[in-house]
Amino acid sequence: MSVCPTRAAHVELDDQGLLRYSRHILLDELGVEGQERICSAHVLVIGAGGLGSPVALYLASAGVGTLTIVDDDVVDLTNLQRQIVHTEARVGQNKAYSAQQTLQALNPQVQVHALAERATPARLAELVAAADVVLDCSDNFSTRHALNRACVAAGKPLVSGAAVQFSGQITTFALHEADAPCYHCLFAEEGEDSDSPCATFGVFAPLVGIIGTAQASEALKLLSGCGEILRGRLQLYDARTARWKEMKYQRDPACPVCAQRHAGASR
């Protein structure tokens, strides 16, 4: 696996860090070096809802040095059935700021930047350029495609998840690698803007935890260099039967988003 290069100043673990992350350090594939890469990294999370909650909690607890969380929505009572980073006391507050409070209490060593905005394509380009890994925890296709374009342009890996009713999916677009497929190679941009909203169709509470936790796992593997990521593999989960399916996909040579990038890389 190609390790995602981090650009932040290298963090060396002190005694407290060695103790806090000792269960990671005990893993031969990760060790001190892998944990220090995690602690030196900057991760961008788009969305602080059902998927963004477990993503943010596990990345913060694992010691990701800087987390930038973007969400323009506010906490609603109906969110609390599954959006575990929020509390009833924060109903009406912006989700990014609510998540920031939880994460800083969980791990004060992590810097959490909360952005209460719906990022425009230009803003996404700016945010993606500053990150090492990007996680798509949004719930609409327009945001997903805009985020994909920004990641393709910047060459940043994108971990994508989705969940509704009892069905979830996850994959990783290894866009830091020259020949990797992008989101548009797998999902065309035409179609409905909304990704079957939970308010209309409902969602099984643990489902977002399962998919979000898997997204966090993909991000930590990218940062630390351990394990194998879901490059070119889309995993589908049915919570009703507790069964996973996997389908493989390839880069579309005619993709309007990434074909030009690949053509430039091949010259």
Side-chain angles (χ1 to χ4, degrees), residues 11-12 55 99 109 116-117 126-127 137 139 150-151 155 167 171 202 206 211 223 252:
V11 172
E12 292 189 4
V55 159
Q109 296 179 353
E117 59 184 270
E126 176 186 351
L127 294 172
C137 302
D139 62 358
C151 289
S167 301
T171 190
I211 301 300
L223 295 171
D252 178 6

Side-chain angles (χ1 to χ4, degrees), residues 43-61 67-71 75 79 82-86 95-100 102-103 106 112-113 134-139 144 147 159-163 169-170 198 203 205-217 219:
V43 173
L44 172 64
V45 180
I46 303 296
L51 295 173
S53 290
V55 159
L57 286 166
Y58 270 107
L59 293 182
S61 67
L67 285 171
T68 297
I69 301 176
V70 184
D71 200 313
V75 180
N79 300 148
R82 65 201 177 280
Q83 298 184 16
I84 57 175
V85 78
H86 309 301
K95 289 183 179 180
Y97 285 111
S98 171
Q100 181 185 48
T102 300
L103 302 178
L106 176 66
V112 182
H113 303 303
V134 180
L135 288 97
D136 183 359
C137 302
S138 65
D139 62 358
R144 292 182 179 190
L147 187 58
V159 183
S160 175
Q169 65 184 41
I170 177 174
C198 299
V203 61
L207 175 66
V208 293
I210 293 167
I211 301 300
T213 301
Q215 285 184 268
S217 174

Side-chain angles (χ1 to χ4, degrees), residues 8 32 64 81 97 110 119 121 128-129 134 146 151 153 157 165 169 178 183 202 207 212 216 218-219 228 241 245:
V32 172
V64 169
Q81 162 252 16
Y97 285 111
V110 174
V128 166
V134 180
C151 289
Q165 294 184 321
Q169 65 184 41
Y183 184 85
L207 175 66
E218 288 291 285
E228 178 183 353
T241 60
K245 295 181 180 179

Side-chain angles (χ1 to χ4, degrees), residues 1-4 176-177 218 221-229:
M1 181 181 80
S2 175
V3 180
C4 176
H176 58 302
E177 299 177 3
E218 288 291 285
K221 287 187 292 182
L222 279 162
L223 295 171
S224 66
C226 73
E228 178 183 353
I229 60 170

Side-chain angles (χ1 to χ4, degrees), residues 7-28:
R7 292 164 291 97
H10 179 72
V11 172
E12 292 189 4
L13 296 175
D14 57 16
D15 289 344
Q16 184 180 13
L18 291 170
L19 181 61
R20 185 180 193 107
Y21 307 116
S22 59
R23 300 307 186 266
H24 261 181
I25 293 168
L26 288 170
L27 299 172
D28 290 341

Side-chain angles (χ1 to χ4, degrees), residues 148-235:
N148 176 63
R149 287 191 289 271
C151 289
V152 168
K156 299 299 176 69
L158 173 62
V159 183
S160 175
V164 70
Q165 294 184 321
F166 290 91
S167 301
Q169 65 184 41
I170 177 174
T171 190
T172 295
F173 303 100
L175 299 171
H176 58 302
E177 299 177 3
D179 60 342
C182 77
Y183 184 85
H184 197 284
C185 294
L186 183 59
F187 298 108
E189 197 157 357
E190 298 77 16
E192 297 292 329
D193 179 64
S194 178
D195 190 20
S196 300
C198 299
T200 303
F201 295 99
V203 61
F204 187 50
L207 175 66
V208 293
I210 293 167
I211 301 300
T213 301
Q215 285 184 268
S217 174
E218 288 291 285
L220 293 175
K221 287 187 292 182
L222 279 162
L223 295 171
S224 66
C226 73
E228 178 183 353
I229 60 170
L230 290 170
R231 185 189 191 278
R233 297 186 289 141
L234 175 68
Q235 290 197 338

